[in-house]
Amino acid sequence: MRPAALDWSVENCTIARAMEILGERWTMVVLREVFSGVRRFDDMRVRTGIPRQVLTNRLALLVERGVLRREPYREPGSRLRHEYRLTEMGFALWPVLVAVLGWGDRYLADAEGAPLRVEHRDCGAEVRAELRCADGHEVRDPRDVLPRPGPGAHRRSS
């Protein structure tokens, strides 16, 4: 049976567009650091071991694409530098990072457990990503989701 998805074009796919920004390994590591409060270049480089040029490139891309913004700061007696802060677009990636963290914890954690945990500030309970439909039903099985063309989809020419 021929999949219905072959009838619509994916040329303007937003998943592909998002992966142009997020698809490189170090990008998610940089975002993890910024979400954890590590905002300065040297702190990120030392903490993660990302090569200097790779970190420079990742940060530049995230700033250029609107995920991060540069904020100037100056330590007493030092030159002006910049730290990196999340924009609204950047904050919207939090559920993505939580979902990746949950997947990694489930399938890739060492025997002693995960090295990072995210908690709700108010009650201390663990935070995890969940899927829900627009009517509020929890979606647990990927087989319960049907991909359909959206309003921006174009029919493929045969």
Side-chain angles (χ1 to χ4, degrees), residues 40 73-79 81:
R40 296 181 178 178
Y73 75 93
R74 183 188 309 260
E75 297 287 341
S78 296
R79 68 180 172 86
R81 294 179 177 233

Side-chain angles (χ1 to χ4, degrees), residues 35 91-100 129:
F35 272 108
F91 275 113
L93 285 168
W94 180 239
V96 175
L97 265 69
V98 171
V100 171

